[in-house]
Amino acid sequence: MNRLRVVVCGTNYGRAYVRALSRLEDAFELVGFLARGSSRSHQIAAENGVPLYVDVREMGKNVDLACAAMSSSAWPVVSKLLERGVHVLCEHPQRSAALMQALRLASQRKINFHLNGHVGNLPAARAFAKECCRLRKEAKPIFLQALATERSLYGLLDILKISLGSLDPCRMKVLHRGNRFSLLHGTLGFLPSYILVQVSGTRHGRHLPDGSPAYLFDHRVAVGFPSGVLTLMAMSGPVVWNSAPVGTKGGDDSLWRSLYDQGTRTRDDLGKQRIEANMAALEAIRKAILCGQKTDTQQPSHILEVSRAWESLCRRLYAA
């Protein structure tokens, strides 16, 4: 199959896509960067031997796919790319109104728009979601507890959508608001839920930068069932099952077991997995472009449901 010609938009997180593309050279060809024109952007483009564009209109017609690794403030760039008939793989988080516009444009141009939730493609999250779906066939979950930062909240909701099937209705309110943590309580998809979110700003303030050491965790989620509790301890895992004490068959039965622990111990281990997650996102949109195959997580219903739940929680977190 033909190699897809790719432009990476943004040279901060965009470098993560460059690493993923370099490992998929048989399927993709990096043909340029689109950025604001900083000295860093010029340097990165030169290092990769490709041109730097500062405007979509500068791009030629030799672009099949754009990896939009920019903040939501650069959304007009995504719209212009779609209007030109370029397939787009876009970073999260994004607001539902923007996503509806993108999906509509993609449908009109008969091209693909994918949103990269990223953390749902990591091995530990996949293991958690698979086991959660299996347990749901045996019994309905009865509660949800989670930790997240304002940066990881969108990705957490994406994992929950995959694991629980639905986030609707999303009816959460702030139970406690502090300087560093806010506690949300209510229901997600009729499931009684508590989510503790580490926050760094207000509606009018600035968030801590992505990857700041001031964030104390990435995310953690526990889903309770009549027979026990399934927990994704962190982005890197492990996934742990704790049996309900009264549900064990005998005194020698194990009360807990690790369902996913493949040896992710270091930042390097997790970094490699994150590159592989972006590779999976690239391969998914390539399959959609060449074969018309779209995964469940790229269906408009999934993308919009996660975004709307995220918007709902953010409105409550940053309400005056």
Side-chain angles (χ1 to χ4, degrees), residues 172-224:
M172 303 285 287
K173 63 181 180 180
V174 175
L175 193 63
H176 172 77
R177 193 188 308 277
N179 292 332
R180 298 183 68 189
F181 299 95
S182 291
L183 179 61
L184 294 161
H185 168 57
T187 57
L188 281 174
F190 299 107
L191 186 63
S193 303
Y194 288 88
I195 304 178
L196 183 68
V197 183
Q198 183 179 355
V199 296
S200 61
T202 66
R203 183 175 55 178
H204 304 293
R206 293 175 62 89
H207 297 331
L208 291 168
D210 195 15
S212 169
Y215 287 126
L216 302 178
F217 42 78
D218 40 53
H219 56 249
R220 176 174 296 185
V221 57
V223 177

Side-chain angles (χ1 to χ4, degrees), residues 144-290:
L144 163 71
Q145 289 184 317
L147 300 175
T149 70
E150 58 211 347
R151 294 284 185 179
S152 67
L153 183 59
Y154 196 105
L156 172 72
L157 291 169
D158 190 48
I159 293 171
L160 290 175
K161 167 65 177 169
I162 298 168
S163 304
L164 300 175
S166 178
L167 303 175
D168 287 335
C170 177
R171 295 171 179 164
M172 303 285 287
K173 63 181 180 180
V174 175
L175 193 63
H176 172 77
R177 193 188 308 277
N179 292 332
R180 298 183 68 189
F181 299 95
S182 291
L183 179 61
L184 294 161
H185 168 57
T187 57
L188 281 174
F190 299 107
L191 186 63
S193 303
Y194 288 88
I195 304 178
L196 183 68
V197 183
Q198 183 179 355
V199 296
S200 61
T202 66
R203 183 175 55 178
H204 304 293
R206 293 175 62 89
H207 297 331
L208 291 168
D210 195 15
S212 169
Y215 287 126
L216 302 178
F217 42 78
D218 40 53
H219 56 249
R220 176 174 296 185
V221 57
V223 177
F225 293 88
S227 56
V229 180
L230 181 68
T231 305
L232 171 61
M233 300 297 290
M235 184 185 295
S236 58
V239 178
V240 177
W241 170 254
N242 290 92
S243 298
V246 295
T248 54
K249 297 179 181 179
D252 294 332
D253 289 337
S254 176
L255 291 173
W256 70 273
R257 57 193 172 97
S258 176
L259 303 178
Y260 172 79
D261 182 8
Q262 89 315 345
T264 306
R265 293 286 186 268
T266 68
R267 290 181 185 273
D268 286 346
D269 293 335
L270 182 58
K272 292 174 183 176
Q273 290 187 352
R274 298 193 69 166
I275 293 172
E276 290 166 358
N278 283 334
M279 290 169 62
L282 284 163
E283 289 171 329
I285 195 167
R286 184 172 188 268
K287 189 173 291 186
I289 292 168
L290 297 179

Side-chain angles (χ1 to χ4, degrees), residues 304-320:
L304 292 172
E305 188 173 324
V306 174
S307 180
R308 287 166 179 156
W310 173 72
E311 288 176 312
S312 176
L313 297 190
C314 286
R315 282 195 297 270
R316 284 150 181 79
L317 283 171
Y318 302 116

Side-chain angles (χ1 to χ4, degrees), residues 39 56-57 62 92 102 115 134 137 141 207 221 293 316:
S39 57
V56 173
R57 291 172 293 184
N62 67 327
H92 74 283
L115 190 73
R134 187 192 71 78
K137 293 177 181 178
H207 297 331
V221 57
Q293 298 179 13
R316 284 150 181 79

Side-chain angles (χ1 to χ4, degrees), residues 18-31:
V18 175
R19 289 191 288 271
L21 289 165
S22 69
R23 295 176 59 178
L24 295 168
E25 290 183 339
D26 290 342
F28 299 94
E29 178 188 5
L30 178 66
V31 296

